[in-house]
Amino acid sequence: MFNAAGRYALMAIFVIAAGVCLFYDENQMAAVAGVMFAFVLWSHFKSSSILMASKYFKAGDYEKALKLLKEVPNPDRLARNRRGYYEFMMGNISLKNEDYQAAEYHFQISSRFPLGSKNDKSFILIHLANLALRKKDSVRALAYAEKAKELAGTERTNEIINKIIKEAKSLKQTV
């Protein structure tokens, strides 16, 4: 697991190794170095720094996680399973920074991609429901909460969802 600079250095080493092998007429070794270069290049675009960022994210070091997430050249090119985690982490970091519009944007994208488990997906929907409540949009909050309830896997998750539903219904009655 390297950051972007480390991956670029590794790719340069493989290119140099392939050039040296070709110079000494070691075509099979040059081919191996070329394949290794191609693999590192492919993984750079498909996985990028997501695994390293998730390590820092889980440890609560959101600044380092954000720095690594910003190294992703184009999130649209990430593998499907990595894109969901990328957007989930970006959404949570935006939420911590009280950038609610960005958080909603990232959580909406994250909800379209596979994530660890159904319970993880329910937490994305819970975040979206809370953001809708913040905007006083009871209809969207109820829709997100109902979908989250279908995916919820723990009692704690169900308690949170029931509180959101109760608050959304009370908001609906006052409007």
Side-chain angles (χ1 to χ4, degrees), residues 28-134:
Q28 290 176 338
M29 291 301 293
V32 168
V35 167
M36 296 302 291
F37 167 79
F39 175 74
V40 173
L41 182 65
W42 173 82
S43 70
H44 172 68
F45 287 109
K46 290 299 180 182
S47 297
S48 202
S49 303
I50 304 301
L51 292 176
M52 285 179 56
S54 69
K55 180 181 114 178
Y56 290 117
F57 181 80
K58 287 177 184 175
D61 191 348
Y62 301 115
E63 285 182 28
K64 284 185 182 177
L66 183 61
K67 182 181 174 189
L68 288 169
L69 291 172
K70 285 185 176 182
E71 286 182 1
V72 175
N74 184 356
D76 292 332
R77 290 187 182 158
L78 289 171
R80 284 184 56 77
N81 59 343
R82 298 287 185 240
R83 179 75 189 269
Y85 283 115
Y86 170 85
E87 297 295 347
F88 178 72
M89 288 186 285
M90 288 296 287
N92 276 304
I93 291 170
S94 297
L95 203 57
K96 296 252 186 262
N97 294 333
E98 297 181 4
D99 185 356
Y100 302 116
Q101 188 173 356
E104 183 177 14
Y105 171 78
H106 290 294
F107 284 133
Q108 284 177 347
I109 293 173
S110 180
S111 70
R112 297 180 193 132
F113 289 94
L115 215 54
S117 68
K118 286 183 177 183
N119 201 47
D120 293 338
K121 191 77 117 179
S122 71
F123 273 107
I124 292 171
L125 295 169
I126 287 170
H127 284 307
L128 287 168
N130 276 325
L131 290 166
L133 281 176
R134 179 175 287 284

Side-chain angles (χ1 to χ4, degrees), residues 131-139 171 175:
L131 290 166
L133 281 176
R134 179 175 287 284
K135 291 180 172 181
K136 302 196 183 318
D137 187 348
S138 61
V139 174
L171 181 66
V175 173

